[in-house]
Amino acid sequence: MWLTCSSIGRKFVMAITGVCLVLFVTFHCLMNGVALFWPSAYNAICEFLGANWYALVASIGLAALFVIHIIYATWLTLQNRRARGNDRYAVAGAAPGVEWSSKNMLVLGFVVLAFLIVHLIQFWAKMQLAEILGEEYNGIHPANGIAFINLAFAQIWTPIVYIIGFIALWFHMNHGMWSMMQTVGWDGDTWMPRLKKISLWWTSIVVALFIAQAVVFTVRANCPDCAVEGCVVEEVVESCCSAEAAPADACCAAESVNE
C-alpha cells in the first residue's frame, strides 16, 4: 500500500494527522479561554466531554492520531538518516534555506510528547479516566475542571513545564503546518510564502494564548484574593473551585462558596 510503502505516502499520512492535531490544539486553546472568562461553562463542557460514548470515541480517535503521527515521524526520520548515510556529517552547521526546526522536528516532537504526558496525568487521568473507573480524586468531581486547573497550577513547576512545552509546540507546529501543505501539493511560488505566513500567525496566536492562560491560571491558583467568581455548576458538580483553598483542598462545598 502506497501510504506505507512509499515516502510520499508516509508524508501524506503525516500531513493528514498533522492537520487534525492542529485543529485539536486550536480547539483546546479556545476551550481554555472559556475557563478564563466563564468557569461554569467550562465545567459544563468538561461534563459533556466526560465518559460519554461520543467523548470516548473522540478520545480513542485522537489517541490514534497521536500514535500514528509519532510512528510515521520516527519512521520518516530514520529513513532519511539512512538515505543520507555519512553525508549528514559532511557539512557543519545548517544548510542554506534549512530551518532549525526542520532539522529538529523529531526532538521537538518528543519534547511535546513529554509535555503531553504531564498534561494527561494532571487532567485526563483525574477527569475522564477517573469517571470511567467511577472514582474521584481527593473528593473532586471528575467534571470539575476548574478545580483541577487550580490544583495543577498551584504547583510552581507546572507553568514552567507548560511554557517549555508550548515553546517546543510553537517550533514544531509552525514548521509542520506549512510543511504538510507542501506535502499535499500546495508548494508553488505563490502559495508557499502565504502558507508560511499563515502558519506563523496561527501558531504564534495559539501558543501566545496558551502561555497567557498558563500565567493567569498560576496567578489565580496561588493568589488568595484572586478567587474566580461564579464557578459553581448547579446540578452538574457537587463542589466548586476555590483559589483560597490549599492545593490538597482544591475544592469546597458549593453551599460554602455560595455563602
Side-chain angles (χ1 to χ4, degrees), residues 10 22 124-125 142 148 157 184 199 219 254:
R10 289 191 283 271
V22 166
W124 177 78
F148 287 110
W157 60 267
V184 298
S199 299
V219 171

Side-chain angles (χ1 to χ4, degrees), residues 236-253:
V236 175
V237 294
E238 298 177 356
S239 57
C240 173
C241 68
S242 171
E244 296 180 353
D249 229 351
C251 63
C252 60

Side-chain angles (χ1 to χ4, degrees), residues 215-233:
V215 171
V216 174
F217 289 149
T218 301
V219 171
R220 286 180 175 177
N222 291 279
C223 175
D225 298 322
C226 303
V228 184
E229 296 180 0
C231 58
V232 179
V233 183

Side-chain angles (χ1 to χ4, degrees), residues 44-237:
I45 294 172
C46 292
E47 176 74 9
F48 179 74
L49 298 177
N52 307 297
W53 68 268
Y54 46 82
L56 293 176
V57 170
S59 297
I60 293 172
L62 184 62
L65 288 173
F66 272 107
V67 171
I68 292 171
H69 194 76
I70 293 168
I71 290 174
Y72 272 70
T74 306
W75 192 354
L76 281 169
T77 300
L78 294 177
Q79 173 189 328
N80 292 338
R81 288 185 176 181
R82 283 198 300 269
R84 291 197 304 268
N86 294 328
D87 291 342
R88 68 179 185 272
Y89 302 109
V91 180
V98 178
E99 297 180 353
W100 177 85
S101 55
S102 174
K103 297 179 63 177
N104 295 277
M105 284 294 280
L106 187 64
V107 175
L108 290 168
F110 280 116
V111 173
V112 174
L113 177 61
F115 161 62
L116 175 63
I117 292 172
V118 173
H119 185 65
L120 290 174
I121 292 172
Q122 287 187 318
F123 292 95
W124 177 78
K126 297 172 183 177
M127 297 176 72
Q128 189 179 65
L129 180 59
E131 188 173 346
I132 293 171
L133 299 176
E135 301 175 351
E136 291 186 351
Y137 182 82
N138 285 351
I140 308 174
H141 192 282
N144 195 349
I146 294 295
F148 287 110
I149 288 176
N150 278 345
L151 186 65
F153 284 91
Q155 304 174 80
I156 194 61
W157 60 267
T158 295
I160 297 173
V161 170
Y162 274 54
I163 290 173
I164 292 173
F166 291 144
I167 292 172
L169 178 64
W170 185 89
F171 282 106
H172 190 82
M173 199 165 79
N174 180 41
H175 175 78
M177 280 187 67
W178 66 259
S179 179
M180 63 192 179
M181 294 303 177
Q182 185 180 51
T183 298
V184 298
W186 286 7
D187 57 352
D189 294 336
T190 300
W191 270 104
M192 187 48 58
R194 296 175 181 174
L195 291 172
K196 286 188 176 183
K197 288 181 180 179
I198 292 172
S199 299
L200 176 62
W201 278 101
W202 188 315
T203 304
S204 298
I205 291 172
V206 169
V207 171
L209 288 174
F210 269 134
I211 292 176
Q213 290 162 0
V215 171
V216 174
F217 289 149
T218 301
V219 171
R220 286 180 175 177
N222 291 279
C223 175
D225 298 322
C226 303
V228 184
E229 296 180 0
C231 58
V232 179
V233 183
E234 296 180 0
E235 298 180 359
V236 175
V237 294

Side-chain angles (χ1 to χ4, degrees), residues 2-20:
W2 73 278
L3 290 176
T4 57
C5 296
S6 70
S7 176
I8 298 297
R10 289 191 283 271
K11 289 181 179 179
F12 182 76
V13 172
M14 282 283 294
I16 296 301
T17 55
V19 168
C20 295

